Amino acid sequence: MDEFFKKLPFIDNVLKGIGQIMLQENRWTGLLFLIGIFMGSWQGGVAVLLSTMAGTFTAMKLKYNPSEINAGLYGFSAALVGVALSFVFQTTLVIWILIILGGALAAIIQHFFIQKKIPVFTLPFIIITWVCVFVLHHFTQIPPSEMISASAAPADYDDFLTCTNAFGEVIFQGGILSGIIFFIAVFISSPAAALYGFAGAIIGSYISHMNGEPIEKIHMGLFGFNAVLSAIVFSGFKKKDGLWVLIAVVITVVIDDLLVDHNTLNEFGGVLTFPFVAGTWITLLIQKLFKNKN
């Protein structure tokens, strides 16, 4: 089966780009992510395909580094732009156009930071989505998607599902099965990343609960998905990796809770993965300072 994908490098790059949403350079992870998204909404599935294809195609046409394209580095922010816009708005013609243009622009912004050797993770997705949501909310009458109201419905979950829901919410999926599929998708690529991500969701949910965040939103995974991503970044097999995971998750969750409590960025579509990016940057800075002292 791997030979099949090697004969179709564009499809392979697109799937890896989707897999890179959770930092996994793995076509099977990307395929499972795509299946989980389609299970939640066919519009979301089509959107993530279109935006990832647009980002990958743009990178190829602009002759970016082939190894970076093959690793899916120009697909993950593009993928998130697509799924975010299809989640927030009803998919009118304008939204479909923005999904494609946003995917292409995400690749260009990603390339700029890669050239500067700055690890921005999902920042291109955040910037593009914030701008699109703000402009569309203030200057158009495009109605919200049905998924917005459906995602607000409370449900009773146990602690295990709270954590898998956090995996699902990384890609805007509130379904229980999608979250479990996403966890499995990461696990087949990197068991350490999946288990540390699960632990990050536990810690994030606990801290948010102690901070008095709404229990139904905690169970939905809304206060755990940024923690999942931060934990995956620092996951590994050394003892000190666990310490860095803990530091990153705590910083990320504190930022997440502060922004949500003060209704910051609501006009722009919410915090998205900004707490993950900010928390990871701060942790990397602490790591650098720690290494310099030794």
PDB file of all heavy atoms in Angstrom, residues 89-106:
ATOM      1  N   PHE A  89     -18.855  28.756   9.638  1.00  0.00           N
ATOM      2  CA  PHE A  89     -19.841  29.327   8.724  1.00  0.00           C
ATOM      3  C   PHE A  89     -20.504  28.257   7.863  1.00  0.00           C
ATOM      4  O   PHE A  89     -19.925  27.204   7.601  1.00  0.00           O
ATOM      5  CB  PHE A  89     -19.170  30.346   7.792  1.00  0.00           C
ATOM      6  CG  PHE A  89     -18.565  31.521   8.496  1.00  0.00           C
ATOM      7  CD1 PHE A  89     -17.186  31.574   8.727  1.00  0.00           C
ATOM      8  CD2 PHE A  89     -19.349  32.580   8.936  1.00  0.00           C
ATOM      9  CE1 PHE A  89     -16.618  32.659   9.370  1.00  0.00           C
ATOM     10  CE2 PHE A  89     -18.782  33.661   9.583  1.00  0.00           C
ATOM     11  CZ  PHE A  89     -17.425  33.707   9.807  1.00  0.00           C
ATOM     12  N   GLN A  90     -21.724  28.580   7.415  1.00  0.00           N
ATOM     13  CA  GLN A  90     -22.345  27.745   6.393  1.00  0.00           C
ATOM     14  C   GLN A  90     -21.538  27.878   5.117  1.00  0.00           C
ATOM     15  O   GLN A  90     -21.083  28.970   4.764  1.00  0.00           O
ATOM     16  CB  GLN A  90     -23.799  28.173   6.159  1.00  0.00           C
ATOM     17  CG  GLN A  90     -24.739  27.781   7.284  1.00  0.00           C
ATOM     18  CD  GLN A  90     -26.195  28.041   6.959  1.00  0.00           C
ATOM     19  OE1 GLN A  90     -26.569  28.192   5.791  1.00  0.00           O
ATOM     20  NE2 GLN A  90     -27.024  28.098   7.988  1.00  0.00           N
ATOM     21  N   THR A  91     -21.354  26.763   4.438  1.00  0.00           N
ATOM     22  CA  THR A  91     -20.431  26.747   3.300  1.00  0.00           C
ATOM     23  C   THR A  91     -21.080  27.334   2.041  1.00  0.00           C
ATOM     24  O   THR A  91     -21.509  26.609   1.143  1.00  0.00           O
ATOM     25  CB  THR A  91     -19.935  25.315   3.036  1.00  0.00           C
ATOM     26  OG1 THR A  91     -21.056  24.404   3.073  1.00  0.00           O
ATOM     27  CG2 THR A  91     -18.928  24.895   4.086  1.00  0.00           C
ATOM     28  N   THR A  92     -21.123  28.650   2.005  1.00  0.00           N
ATOM     29  CA  THR A  92     -21.561  29.359   0.801  1.00  0.00           C
ATOM     30  C   THR A  92     -20.393  29.410  -0.186  1.00  0.00           C
ATOM     31  O   THR A  92     -19.269  28.988   0.127  1.00  0.00           O
ATOM     32  CB  THR A  92     -21.986  30.800   1.158  1.00  0.00           C
ATOM     33  OG1 THR A  92     -20.837  31.496   1.682  1.00  0.00           O
ATOM     34  CG2 THR A  92     -23.095  30.800   2.205  1.00  0.00           C
ATOM     35  N   LEU A  93     -20.656  29.961  -1.362  1.00  0.00           N
ATOM     36  CA  LEU A  93     -19.609  30.070  -2.385  1.00  0.00           C
ATOM     37  C   LEU A  93     -18.429  30.888  -1.868  1.00  0.00           C
ATOM     38  O   LEU A  93     -17.261  30.542  -2.105  1.00  0.00           O
ATOM     39  CB  LEU A  93     -20.184  30.708  -3.650  1.00  0.00           C
ATOM     40  CG  LEU A  93     -19.177  30.934  -4.801  1.00  0.00           C
ATOM     41  CD1 LEU A  93     -18.571  29.604  -5.258  1.00  0.00           C
ATOM     42  CD2 LEU A  93     -19.862  31.654  -5.966  1.00  0.00           C
ATOM     43  N   VAL A  94     -18.718  31.961  -1.145  1.00  0.00           N
ATOM     44  CA  VAL A  94     -17.654  32.805  -0.598  1.00  0.00           C
ATOM     45  C   VAL A  94     -16.755  32.008   0.343  1.00  0.00           C
ATOM     46  O   VAL A  94     -15.524  32.142   0.303  1.00  0.00           O
ATOM     47  CB  VAL A  94     -18.258  34.026   0.150  1.00  0.00           C
ATOM     48  CG1 VAL A  94     -17.164  34.795   0.900  1.00  0.00           C
ATOM     49  CG2 VAL A  94     -18.971  34.944  -0.820  1.00  0.00           C
ATOM     50  N   ILE A  95     -17.360  31.183   1.172  1.00  0.00           N
ATOM     51  CA  ILE A  95     -16.584  30.378   2.129  1.00  0.00           C
ATOM     52  C   ILE A  95     -15.704  29.375   1.392  1.00  0.00           C
ATOM     53  O   ILE A  95     -14.524  29.198   1.741  1.00  0.00           O
ATOM     54  CB  ILE A  95     -17.519  29.660   3.126  1.00  0.00           C
ATOM     55  CG1 ILE A  95     -18.266  30.672   3.993  1.00  0.00           C
ATOM     56  CG2 ILE A  95     -16.728  28.692   4.004  1.00  0.00           C
ATOM     57  CD1 ILE A  95     -17.363  31.582   4.808  1.00  0.00           C
ATOM     58  N   TRP A  96     -16.231  28.731   0.352  1.00  0.00           N
ATOM     59  CA  TRP A  96     -15.424  27.763  -0.402  1.00  0.00           C
ATOM     60  C   TRP A  96     -14.234  28.450  -1.059  1.00  0.00           C
ATOM     61  O   TRP A  96     -13.123  27.910  -1.083  1.00  0.00           O
ATOM     62  CB  TRP A  96     -16.272  27.067  -1.473  1.00  0.00           C
ATOM     63  CG  TRP A  96     -17.228  26.051  -0.929  1.00  0.00           C
ATOM     64  CD1 TRP A  96     -18.588  26.065  -1.035  1.00  0.00           C
ATOM     65  CD2 TRP A  96     -16.913  24.860  -0.192  1.00  0.00           C
ATOM     66  NE1 TRP A  96     -19.134  24.972  -0.415  1.00  0.00           N
ATOM     67  CE2 TRP A  96     -18.132  24.218   0.115  1.00  0.00           C
ATOM     68  CE3 TRP A  96     -15.716  24.294   0.252  1.00  0.00           C
ATOM     69  CZ2 TRP A  96     -18.193  23.025   0.836  1.00  0.00           C
ATOM     70  CZ3 TRP A  96     -15.775  23.099   0.975  1.00  0.00           C
ATOM     71  CH2 TRP A  96     -16.986  22.479   1.256  1.00  0.00           C
ATOM     72  N   ILE A  97     -14.453  29.660  -1.566  1.00  0.00           N
ATOM     73  CA  ILE A  97     -13.350  30.421  -2.184  1.00  0.00           C
ATOM     74  C   ILE A  97     -12.296  30.767  -1.134  1.00  0.00           C
ATOM     75  O   ILE A  97     -11.089  30.622  -1.365  1.00  0.00           O
ATOM     76  CB  ILE A  97     -13.887  31.695  -2.866  1.00  0.00           C
ATOM     77  CG1 ILE A  97     -14.729  31.323  -4.087  1.00  0.00           C
ATOM     78  CG2 ILE A  97     -12.729  32.614  -3.277  1.00  0.00           C
ATOM     79  CD1 ILE A  97     -15.465  32.493  -4.706  1.00  0.00           C
ATOM     80  N   LEU A  98     -12.763  31.209   0.038  1.00  0.00           N
ATOM     81  CA  LEU A  98     -11.834  31.559   1.112  1.00  0.00           C
ATOM     82  C   LEU A  98     -11.075  30.336   1.623  1.00  0.00           C
ATOM     83  O   LEU A  98      -9.907  30.448   2.019  1.00  0.00           O
ATOM     84  CB  LEU A  98     -12.592  32.224   2.265  1.00  0.00           C
ATOM     85  CG  LEU A  98     -13.026  33.680   2.036  1.00  0.00           C
ATOM     86  CD1 LEU A  98     -13.859  34.177   3.211  1.00  0.00           C
ATOM     87  CD2 LEU A  98     -11.812  34.580   1.824  1.00  0.00           C
ATOM     88  N   ILE A  99     -11.719  29.194   1.630  1.00  0.00           N
ATOM     89  CA  ILE A  99     -11.058  27.962   2.063  1.00  0.00           C
ATOM     90  C   ILE A  99      -9.862  27.654   1.157  1.00  0.00           C
ATOM     91  O   ILE A  99      -8.774  27.305   1.628  1.00  0.00           O
ATOM     92  CB  ILE A  99     -12.066  26.786   2.071  1.00  0.00           C
ATOM     93  CG1 ILE A  99     -12.975  26.890   3.306  1.00  0.00           C
ATOM     94  CG2 ILE A  99     -11.353  25.433   2.032  1.00  0.00           C
ATOM     95  CD1 ILE A  99     -14.162  25.941   3.285  1.00  0.00           C
ATOM     96  N   ILE A 100     -10.059  27.811  -0.135  1.00  0.00           N
ATOM     97  CA  ILE A 100      -8.975  27.539  -1.089  1.00  0.00           C
ATOM     98  C   ILE A 100      -7.889  28.614  -1.008  1.00  0.00           C
ATOM     99  O   ILE A 100      -6.691  28.305  -0.916  1.00  0.00           O
ATOM    100  CB  ILE A 100      -9.534  27.448  -2.522  1.00  0.00           C
ATOM    101  CG1 ILE A 100     -10.471  26.231  -2.638  1.00  0.00           C
ATOM    102  CG2 ILE A 100      -8.401  27.353  -3.538  1.00  0.00           C
ATOM    103  CD1 ILE A 100     -11.262  26.178  -3.930  1.00  0.00           C
ATOM    104  N   LEU A 101      -8.303  29.878  -1.016  1.00  0.00           N
ATOM    105  CA  LEU A 101      -7.326  30.973  -0.934  1.00  0.00           C
ATOM    106  C   LEU A 101      -6.594  30.961   0.410  1.00  0.00           C
ATOM    107  O   LEU A 101      -5.380  31.208   0.467  1.00  0.00           O
ATOM    108  CB  LEU A 101      -8.030  32.322  -1.125  1.00  0.00           C
ATOM    109  CG  LEU A 101      -8.623  32.598  -2.504  1.00  0.00           C
ATOM    110  CD1 LEU A 101      -9.315  33.951  -2.528  1.00  0.00           C
ATOM    111  CD2 LEU A 101      -7.543  32.522  -3.588  1.00  0.00           C
ATOM    112  N   GLY A 102      -7.340  30.662   1.482  1.00  0.00           N
ATOM    113  CA  GLY A 102      -6.724  30.601   2.812  1.00  0.00           C
ATOM    114  C   GLY A 102      -5.701  29.491   2.914  1.00  0.00           C
ATOM    115  O   GLY A 102      -4.649  29.647   3.543  1.00  0.00           O
ATOM    116  N   GLY A 103      -5.990  28.348   2.277  1.00  0.00           N
ATOM    117  CA  GLY A 103      -5.033  27.246   2.269  1.00  0.00           C
ATOM    118  C   GLY A 103      -3.756  27.617   1.555  1.00  0.00           C
ATOM    119  O   GLY A 103      -2.648  27.312   2.022  1.00  0.00           O
ATOM    120  N   ALA A 104      -3.887  28.313   0.414  1.00  0.00           N
ATOM    121  CA  ALA A 104      -2.708  28.753  -0.349  1.00  0.00           C
ATOM    122  C   ALA A 104      -1.897  29.771   0.452  1.00  0.00           C
ATOM    123  O   ALA A 104      -0.668  29.686   0.522  1.00  0.00           O
ATOM    124  CB  ALA A 104      -3.152  29.340  -1.685  1.00  0.00           C
ATOM    125  N   LEU A 105      -2.590  30.733   1.061  1.00  0.00           N
ATOM    126  CA  LEU A 105      -1.908  31.768   1.832  1.00  0.00           C
ATOM    127  C   LEU A 105      -1.208  31.183   3.059  1.00  0.00           C
ATOM    128  O   LEU A 105      -0.108  31.626   3.422  1.00  0.00           O
ATOM    129  CB  LEU A 105      -2.908  32.840   2.268  1.00  0.00           C
ATOM    130  CG  LEU A 105      -2.347  34.035   3.046  1.00  0.00           C
ATOM    131  CD1 LEU A 105      -1.263  34.759   2.244  1.00  0.00           C
ATOM    132  CD2 LEU A 105      -3.467  35.001   3.425  1.00  0.00           C
ATOM    133  N   ALA A 106      -1.819  30.172   3.675  1.00  0.00           N
ATOM    134  CA  ALA A 106      -1.203  29.522   4.840  1.00  0.00           C
ATOM    135  C   ALA A 106       0.156  28.932   4.474  1.00  0.00           C
ATOM    136  O   ALA A 106       1.115  29.018   5.253  1.00  0.00           O
ATOM    137  CB  ALA A 106      -2.126  28.431   5.386  1.00  0.00           C
TER     138      ALA A 106
END
